[in-house]
Amino acid sequence: MKKIFYLILIMNIIPATAATIPWWLRPTVCKINPTNCYPNMTYGYLIEMGNIESWDDTSNCWGLKLICPEALITDAREPVALKRKEIEQGKKIKTDYDINNLSSNRDCFGTRKTSNDGTKVSVNGQLVNVWCPGILDNPDETLENGEITYGAQPTCQSLARNNFAAVENGNCYGKYYDANQYYIECGNALLPTRLIVLNGADYNTPTNGAPTTKKAAERLFNEMYTNSKTQKSKYFSE
């Protein structure tokens, strides 16, 4: 009779809510501590508590980081959930990508490493210019600030043929200059040697005494530049 009384007493002590909690979730059950792998898991993570696909057995915790397909060495069309140690080893991540940055659509991690406020990005370990839209004939990739090419980069001469110069234009490179108003003079560098204001002159239609060849025109421009510099130093102090 005493045993029956004790059993009834114990049942009365146990809260009614405890009976509704699954036994594997009760605090008295011995289990691996499901501490999150990351301090704040919102966007860009695979988190389904109790789902084995979300379990990181290398770190004994829930939550896998979703890596964008373009940041992965292997071909993938969708974001891939990687374990913490897989990410730390870096064998599956392209070195040009920073997997600490969330993508623009916020569904995965991995964006190209950038510099100079996004005007330059990493391609094959080298920083290349991000060109403003419409400058590259066949861009290999479109980014938030503009377009990039993986191969040979534009030169001053190739840009000038389309009336562009490789100057910074907001968050990308490349500024258009009307050929009727400006002449872009190139040297060996990417930036033009000089940008000459034509002041309405039509260099395609020579008049009497005007230079008829490119070499003659450049010689005349050099003389004009020298004279202008001399006059400035004569009448204007620095």
Side-chain angles (χ1 to χ4, degrees):
M1 187 66 181
K2 289 183 178 180
K3 291 182 179 179
I4 297 175
F5 174 76
Y6 290 149
L7 180 59
I8 294 173
L9 183 61
I10 292 171
M11 291 179 65
N12 290 333
I13 294 174
I14 298 175
T17 55
T20 62
I21 301 175
W23 66 266
W24 60 88
L25 294 179
R26 294 179 186 178
T28 55
V29 177
C30 295
K31 56 182 178 290
I32 298 175
N33 181 17
T35 303
N36 293 339
C37 287
Y38 303 96
N40 297 304
M41 290 188 290
T42 53
Y43 298 101
Y45 294 94
L46 179 63
I47 316 166
E48 296 179 13
M49 301 296 285
N51 185 346
I52 191 63
E53 293 182 359
S54 298
W55 178 253
D56 186 345
D57 58 359
T58 65
S59 299
N60 290 332
C61 58
W62 293 108
L64 299 176
K65 201 169 188 177
L66 291 166
I67 307 301
C68 299
E70 54 268 23
L72 296 168
I73 294 176
T74 55
D75 292 334
R77 294 185 178 180
E78 299 292 334
V80 176
L82 294 184
K83 299 174 182 179
R84 200 170 188 176
K85 286 190 177 178
E86 290 178 314
I87 294 174
E88 291 173 354
Q89 290 171 353
K91 295 180 180 179
K92 297 184 178 182
I93 311 295
K94 293 179 181 177
T95 56
D96 289 326
Y97 285 80
D98 186 348
I99 51 86
N100 293 311
N101 293 332
L102 200 60
S103 64
S104 58
N105 54 12
R106 308 180 76 182
D107 65 346
C108 57
F109 286 88
T111 60
R112 282 194 179 273
K113 295 177 181 177
T114 64
S115 178
N116 294 3
D117 296 326
T119 58
K120 291 181 179 291
V121 298
S122 180
V123 175
N124 297 324
Q126 302 292 327
L127 288 175
V128 301
N129 288 343
V130 176
W131 299 98
C132 298
I135 292 179
L136 298 177
D137 294 332
N138 296 296
D140 292 312
E141 187 176 335
T142 300
L143 304 175
E144 183 177 357
N145 294 343
E147 301 167 340
I148 60 173
T149 178
Y150 302 153
Q153 299 298 309
T155 63
C156 179
Q157 289 79 4
S158 66
L159 292 170
R161 282 194 291 269
N162 295 320
N163 304 324
F164 287 104
V167 296
E168 195 168 342
N169 186 13
N171 290 329
C172 55
Y173 283 91
K175 190 171 182 180
Y176 178 81
Y177 290 94
D178 189 344
N180 293 320
Q181 301 180 33
Y182 299 92
Y183 173 73
I184 302 173
E185 182 178 285
C186 293
N188 296 324
L190 178 60
L191 282 173
T193 305
R194 282 181 295 191
L195 186 66
I196 301 170
V197 181
L198 299 176
N199 291 326
D202 185 359
Y203 60 87
N204 291 315
T205 308
T207 58
N208 293 333
T212 57
T213 65
K214 181 180 178 181
K215 187 174 181 179
E218 289 178 349
R219 183 168 59 249
L220 178 59
F221 285 141
N222 286 332
E223 293 175 358
M224 294 169 61
Y225 176 74
T226 302
N227 291 336
S228 176
K229 189 175 181 180
T230 301
Q231 294 298 317
K232 180 181 178 182
S233 61
K234 181 178 180 181
Y235 295 103
F236 298 92
S237 58
E238 296 292 339

